[in-house]
Structure formats: C-alpha cells, structure tokens
Amino acid sequence: MKIRGSASGQRRIQQEIKNFSGGVNRLLEEARIGFNEAKEATNLIQVQDGLWKPRWGSAYYGAALPSNCDGAKEFVKSDGTTELVAVAGGKAYKSTDGGSWTEITGATFTSGTQCFFIQISGYLYIANGVDNLARYNGTTLSTYNSINAPTGLAGTRTGLSDGTISEYAEVTAINEIGETVGSTEAVTTVNKVRDQWTTGEKITWNWNAVSGASSYQLYISEVAGNETLVASSPTNSYIDDGSVAINPYVEPPLSNTTAAPKFRSMEISGNRIWGTNDPDNPYTVYFSGTGQDMGKFSDFFGGGWVNLERGGRETPKAVKHYQSGTGDGRATILCSTPEGKGAVWQISIASATVGDYSFSVPTAVKVVGSSGTDSQLSVIADNNNIWFFNRRGFFTLGPEKNYYGILRTNELSSRIRPYVRGLVGSKIDKVCGYFYDAKIFFSVPTSSSGNNRIIYYDTERMNWVVDWSIGAKQFLEYTDTSGNTHFLYVPVSGTKLIELSEDIQGDLGVAFNTTYISGRWPLSKLWKDFIKLKKVFIKLGNPRGSINFEVAGSTKSGGFTSIGSSTITPQYSMTGMGYDLMGGVQMGDSLGFPTTFSDSSDPRYIKINKKLRDIQIRLTTSSLDADYTLQSFIFDGLQLNTNPPSSWKI
C-alpha cells in the first residue's frame, strides 16, 4: 500500500493486488481471507505465477461406444503402438486415435460395474470384483476360468495288510493360474506306519481326471484333517512308497485360486500383481508369483494372500506401490473404517524353502497413526507422495521430515474443509483422482447423482482450486500414434470419452460460466477507517469476449452493497494486406484475411467515488469465446479523517 499527500491535504492511498498464489479458501469467512486468496473460483485455473483465468474446455474424444462406459485404459502393444481399451455394456472394445471401436471377444463383464485396469508382462488385466479376472494381449481377451477340485480319490494297498494305521489323503488340481481346494478326504488303513515301509510296500492313490488341470498335488497324513504336501503328479495317479519326505509347511489351499481372486484394486509392486477389495473376502490382500509366475496367485506358483485384522474394523480398499520409511519398495494397502479415518498397512515378502519346495511368507505392518481411504480411485501417486480421500478430507502419505524411517499421513485440505464436509456421503466411495500437469485432480459428488465437480490441488503453487462444473467417473491419459497425449475422462453417464485441454473452448461446444470472487479486503491499515475510493483499476492479459467486472464494498451509510459494475469488451487491432482496396489500388491479388491481436496487458478502471472501508471484486464470464488472465487490481483513493457511523455505537 502506498500513501502520499494530495493537493487538498488528504493522504492518497494506492494499493495493488497482484499476488493470487493462495488459491481458494473456503475455511475462513470472506472478511478473513487474505489478499492472495479467493473466496470463489468457479471454472477457473491458475497459470504462470498463480494468475487466474478460465479453465480448460472439454470435447468428446473418439467415437461413441454402444452404451455407458464402465472404464477405459491405454494399452501399449508389443510393437510400441498404443490403443484405447474400454468396457461398455458388458463387452470390451478397442480403438486407435479416436477411431471406431472394435469389439474384443473372449470375455464378458457385468454391465454397469466399474472396471479397473493394469498392464504388466504384455497383458492388460481387467477386474471389476464381480466377474472373473480377464487379460488382453493385444489380440484376444481371455478369462481366468476355474477348474473343479478332483473327485473319486481312493487308495489301494500293495505289499501292506489292512490294519489299525490310517493313511489320510486329499488331492488338488493345478492349472496355469492356481490350485483348487482339496478333494474330499480319503482314508486307507494299513498295518505299518509310513516310515517303516520297506521295498514293495506302497499305496497307489487314484482319482478322477479334472478338465483343464495341468497337474495335481497330493497331501497325506496319519491324522484326519492334517494333510500336508507329499508330491506333485502330472497324471491322476500317484504311487506313495514312503520314500518321499512330507513337507509339513504346505497344506491344501483354503480357496480355489485357479480363476484368480475377484478383487477390484490392482497394483504392481516387487514385480508381483497385488490385489484387494474383494467383495467376498473383504480383509484379504492377494499377491501373485514373480517372473514367469506373474499373474498366478497360488502359493504353488509363489503367490499367496494375507488377511489384515480379519474381523476387525479396517477393510482394505486400495493397494499402491510406495516406499517404506527407509525408502524400500512396499505394497501399500489403504483401508477404510466406518467413521472415515481408516489406516495404512505395508506388506513385505520373504522367501522360505523347505526341502525342494519354496514359498512366499508375507509380513504386514501397520503405519502408526495413519489414515486410510473410502475411495479406491482417489488413491494416486505424484512424484513423492500417495494422495487419497476419505470422509475427513484429502490426505497424503509420505516420509516425515527430519525423522528417518517414519511415514506419516497428513491432511492437506484444511482450507477447503467446509467444501469437503458438504460432499454427498453416500457417493464418496466413487471419488476419483489423477496426477496430471503437476496438479492432483479429484472428481467429487456435490449431488446425489454422483461425481459432478472437479477440484484440484496445485503441487507447484501448493493451493486448492475449487471447483469446475464437470464430473468424471475415471481419469486416464492416451498417447496417439502421432505422439500427442490426451487427458481424458470417463463421464458418469455417457457413451463417449471426453478430453480436457487448454486448446478447447466450452464444454462439449457449450459455454460455461466462470466466477472469481475475492475476499472482503480492507482498504486502510485499520479496518475501522474509511477512504474515499476514487477508482478501481484492473489489468487483464489477452482478454476476449465479454467480461463482467463488479465492485462491492462496505459504505459508511448503506452497509455492504454493490457500488459499481461494467462489462469489459476487449479492444482489438486488425492488420492485413491483400483483402481490401486502398483507394483504387488493391495490394496483392488474393482476398486475404485480417489478423486479430489482443493485448497481453490491457488496463481498465471503473469510477467509484464512494466512502468505503473494505472492497470485494467479482469477475464473471458466460460466453463461449470469453478468456482472460487476471494480472492485478489497483485501488486508488483518499484517506478520510471521519467519525465512525453512528450505527456502530452500542
């Protein structure tokens, strides 16, 4: 603020506001909001050093799908080219460069169920928690189809007599994915314990062949229900002569993994596929084998599972690859609780070998004092942290500064907390997010229809922008064959993907309204003092279209009211040669077209001439071609030596 004398002896006050780096503040009353913050910034974005301007527009990208889209993802093929894969109406489709959609046959999905995607080892895995896990290799789509447990298990003695010793057995079937549960337990009685069998003494175990099985595993014991692994067999028969040691650490599986679990959340961590958020097993986190066993979830292939506090209050919602406090890579599990706090767990895997059989041993550790998520699609990673949403706000997971080996979760949404509390509680599990252009985008529900708004956190300016009048079911990126990357989203309802870009005007060809509202800024050093406000200056960069400028303030006699408004119409200059006659001479032989220029520094002002103690600015647009960059305001007036209004007296 600059104060200097005037010809009348009154002090002249000039104040410039050019720093808007605080973003939006919904936590404080408008009279408490700082000069660098906005009370409202509807359909605006911050550019350059934090200047406001109308946000990116949206337009349909590509052809229409047969029905509402249930999810989409970019797939990178073996030759390095890309294509879009989408699920709609229970079927999968592919498209290149926004062209027509071609159905990918081989699997179907439950229509209307959100699909989730991840690519590894040349496959695009598709899960929805309802249908069998599917995978796409660029040509065909296949599903993880389960096989049945063997039946008809029976043992035949050779060289042994009937006796009081019982030999119990179960057998499982294995396919390329996993292992079934054990068969019905069978028993054969003999006259010797197994360790005392001699040459020629044996039991031949036979069972019915299982369609789709590649091999079988036989489990035996001398105690009913305690069978452990003795051997694998490529056929539906095995001769046990007592010479093979029993592995006491491997028991028949409790669940059939030949079709893979039906989880929703997937992630790659430690060269394994991790999955959780299984509707039928809400506490379970699954992991696959590695290398050639990628995507195989049976412990026979190095996979397995672990229950996090089974029967407790915390249920896993999402899995992400992140670091431990010491920087080691970990599968990181975010859980929810009824009141919304949740928790974070991290899982590491060690390998153990017993005899010639190796298996994976998971170890789960809870991050002390952590918060979790209610919304699987809100869990995203930026360059350093994991971001996620729960009923209490937007949080990050990251290392604690100045403390080695400690992770912490922090809320970063305090300045928009009232906005978060106003979200529709029954829809917050659908909140989705994405990291793009150094911004953390979230689509949130402010109505019962679902996600209908977009907000974002600017990781460079460290502020919030709230909100945009569009909503997304899922965000994604797609790089076309020309190398152009498109920032897309799946609409909550609709058959076409939608692109967001600064090069697009309006939303789907229709203008959207923008609103900037400042706080109520005091005009003098002391809020009780009044000044005679002469003019309010505004400087815009590259304005286009009609821009409505309104000033409100607290007058000495009339309270807080609108005190001036005007519509800013940019002053264009046009230049061109060869399209007009200059007297009787035409310069050039082509018709030509004029070139329109706008000013990168376009100053305007509005006369006020009122006694005010504070001021609020409102800037709005409603036309399709409207654009501007808000660069600064200047308030110009005279300090008054006057008594306060009589209405203030108590």
Side-chain angles (χ1 to χ4, degrees):
M1 180 185 300
K2 293 181 179 180
I3 301 176
R4 60 188 184 187
S6 69
S8 62
Q10 293 176 305
R11 290 182 301 167
R12 186 175 184 183
I13 295 179
Q14 293 181 314
Q15 184 170 354
E16 183 176 14
I17 309 298
K18 58 183 179 180
N19 178 6
F20 306 101
S21 61
V24 174
N25 189 331
R26 293 289 184 93
L27 180 65
L28 302 180
E29 296 284 349
E30 58 187 27
R32 300 283 296 170
I33 293 176
F35 288 104
N36 67 337
E37 297 172 322
K39 174 189 174 182
E40 183 177 332
T42 301
N43 287 324
L44 298 178
I45 192 171
Q46 287 201 310
V47 297
Q48 300 179 44
D49 54 342
L51 305 182
W52 293 107
K53 71 171 296 172
R55 65 163 168 87
W56 304 337
S58 64
Y60 289 121
Y61 182 81
L65 289 155
S67 58
N68 288 344
C69 183
D70 292 326
K73 183 71 172 179
E74 178 187 78
F75 175 67
V76 181
K77 298 191 291 186
S78 58
D79 61 0
T81 60
T82 60
E83 61 187 17
L84 270 172
V85 175
V87 176
K91 297 180 180 179
Y93 299 87
K94 62 181 179 180
S95 171
T96 301
D97 293 346
S100 60
W101 294 97
T102 302
E103 182 181 349
I104 309 171
T105 58
T108 58
F109 306 88
T110 300
S111 182
T113 304
Q114 178 74 51
C115 291
F116 309 94
F117 307 80
I118 197 166
Q119 183 174 347
I120 188 71
S121 297
Y123 288 101
L124 181 67
Y125 290 83
I126 307 175
N128 63 9
V130 176
D131 304 298
N132 287 346
L133 183 65
R135 61 184 189 181
Y136 171 59
N137 64 2
T139 304
T140 59
L141 186 66
S142 59
T143 58
Y144 282 55
N145 295 314
S146 64
I147 60 176
N148 297 321
T151 60
L153 176 63
T156 303
R157 298 184 299 268
T158 300
L160 295 167
S161 303
D162 189 10
T164 60
I165 308 298
S166 296
E167 292 289 336
Y168 296 92
E170 289 185 30
V171 65
T172 63
I174 289 176
N175 65 3
E176 64 175 0
I177 304 303
E179 185 178 5
T180 68
V181 297
S183 65
T184 300
E185 187 179 61
V187 61
T188 297
T189 55
V190 293
N191 61 331
K192 290 183 180 181
V193 296
R194 185 173 181 270
D195 290 344
Q196 297 176 0
W197 293 354
T198 59
T199 302
E201 295 177 335
K202 57 190 176 183
I203 296 177
T204 301
W205 297 98
N206 294 282
W207 54 90
N208 298 325
V210 175
S211 176
S214 58
S215 62
Y216 304 88
Q217 300 237 89
L218 183 67
Y219 300 81
I220 64 173
S221 175
E222 292 179 353
V223 178
N226 284 355
E227 289 87 356
T228 54
L229 182 66
V230 64
S232 298
S233 174
T235 66
N236 57 322
S237 178
Y238 180 76
I239 298 174
D240 179 21
D241 60 6
S243 62
V244 177
I246 297 173
N247 189 331
Y249 297 97
V250 183
E251 300 176 347
L254 297 176
S255 60
N256 188 333
T257 59
T258 59
K262 293 182 179 180
F263 42 69
R264 293 188 181 97
S265 178
M266 296 183 291
E267 180 66 301
I268 303 299
S269 181
N271 201 34
R272 300 174 186 268
I273 296 178
W274 293 77
T276 192
N277 202 351
D278 180 348
D280 298 325
N281 300 282
Y283 298 96
T284 306
V285 179
Y286 305 93
F287 56 90
S288 77
T290 62
Q292 65 181 7
D293 295 326
M294 174 72 69
K296 302 177 182 180
F297 295 89
S298 169
D299 56 6
F300 181 75
F301 294 110
W305 53 270
V306 59
N307 281 324
L308 301 182
E309 291 191 354
R310 185 178 181 87
R313 300 181 69 254
E314 300 170 5
T315 54
K317 288 293 183 181
V319 55
K320 279 290 182 181
H321 177 69
Y322 193 57
Q323 63 182 7
S324 67
T326 57
D328 299 324
R330 291 282 189 273
T332 303
I333 318 301
L334 291 95
C335 303
S336 69
T337 52
E339 81 288 348
K341 182 178 186 299
V344 176
W345 290 73
Q346 292 195 313
I347 302 176
S348 58
I349 292 180
S351 180
T353 302
V354 178
D356 58 357
Y357 189 86
S358 296
F359 53 95
S360 300
V361 180
T363 301
V365 177
K366 184 190 292 189
V367 176
V368 176
S370 57
S371 297
T373 187
D374 298 292
S375 314
Q376 175 188 328
L377 282 175
S378 75
V379 183
I380 53 177
D382 65 10
N383 296 325
N384 301 301
N385 301 292
I386 297 292
W387 284 78
F388 55 93
F389 171 74
N390 66 33
R391 295 177 185 271
R392 301 184 176 191
F394 294 90
F395 289 76
T396 61
L397 171 68
E400 182 67 20
K401 292 183 179 179
N402 303 321
Y403 290 91
Y404 178 74
I406 296 178
L407 291 180
R408 54 87 189 109
T409 54
N410 284 338
E411 183 196 358
L412 288 186
S413 55
S414 60
R415 289 187 177 273
I416 60 166
R417 195 174 290 154
Y419 182 88
V420 173
R421 289 174 178 167
L423 299 179
V424 178
S426 62
K427 298 293 183 179
I428 62 173
D429 62 320
K430 306 299 183 185
V431 172
C432 63
Y434 201 82
F435 179 55
Y436 179 80
D437 192 41
K439 301 170 180 62
I440 310 291
F441 289 92
F442 291 102
S443 189
V444 297
T446 63
S447 79
S448 58
S449 61
N451 294 347
N452 64 327
R453 292 289 188 271
I454 291 176
I455 67 176
Y456 76 80
Y457 182 83
D458 194 318
T459 62
E460 293 176 330
R461 301 170 184 91
M462 294 185 290
N463 62 35
W464 285 96
V465 173
V466 179
D467 58 8
W468 296 2
S469 59
I470 50 179
K473 182 190 296 184
Q474 175 205 348
F475 294 102
L476 67 150
E477 288 180 73
Y478 171 64
T479 302
D480 61 27
T481 54
S482 298
N484 300 313
T485 298
H486 304 268
F487 182 35
L488 308 176
Y489 70 86
V490 177
V492 174
S493 177
T495 60
K496 290 185 177 181
L497 301 180
I498 298 175
E499 180 175 8
L500 285 170
S501 173
E502 61 184 330
D503 298 323
I504 299 173
Q505 290 184 329
D507 283 331
L508 309 180
V510 178
F512 54 79
N513 297 329
T514 73
T515 301
Y516 166 82
I517 302 178
S518 71
R520 286 175 60 175
W521 297 328
L523 291 172
S524 185
K525 189 173 183 179
L526 298 178
W527 59 263
K528 71 177 183 65
D529 292 340
F530 286 80
I531 75 166
K532 180 68 175 292
L533 185 63
K534 308 289 285 184
K535 298 182 181 69
V536 176
F537 292 83
I538 182 173
K539 185 169 67 170
L540 301 176
N542 300 310
R544 296 202 310 265
S546 296
I547 303 162
N548 302 310
F549 179 38
E550 181 181 356
V551 179
S554 296
T555 65
K556 190 171 182 180
S557 58
F560 185 77
T561 185
S562 176
I563 55 176
S565 63
S566 184
T567 298
I568 299 173
T569 303
Q571 299 174 353
Y572 296 114
S573 61
M574 293 186 298
T575 138
M577 299 292 287
Y579 71 99
D580 194 9
L581 289 176
M582 299 179 66
V585 181
Q586 179 174 340
M587 304 297 293
D589 59 3
S590 63
L591 292 177
F593 295 95
T595 301
T596 302
F597 296 92
S598 58
D599 194 342
S600 62
S601 179
D602 190 342
R604 306 295 180 94
Y605 71 87
I606 185 170
K607 288 185 177 181
I608 303 297
N609 287 325
K610 292 184 182 295
K611 298 175 182 179
L612 303 172
R613 68 178 180 87
D614 65 14
I615 193 171
Q616 186 174 58
I617 304 296
R618 180 184 175 96
L619 207 62
T620 63
T621 66
S622 59
S623 61
L624 186 64
D625 63 339
D627 195 15
Y628 65 85
T629 301
L630 176 56
Q631 296 180 349
S632 73
F633 300 111
I634 294 178
F635 312 137
D636 187 6
L638 299 175
Q639 181 75 47
L640 297 178
N641 185 14
T642 181
N643 293 325
S646 59
S647 60
W648 289 11
K649 186 177 180 180
I650 56 176

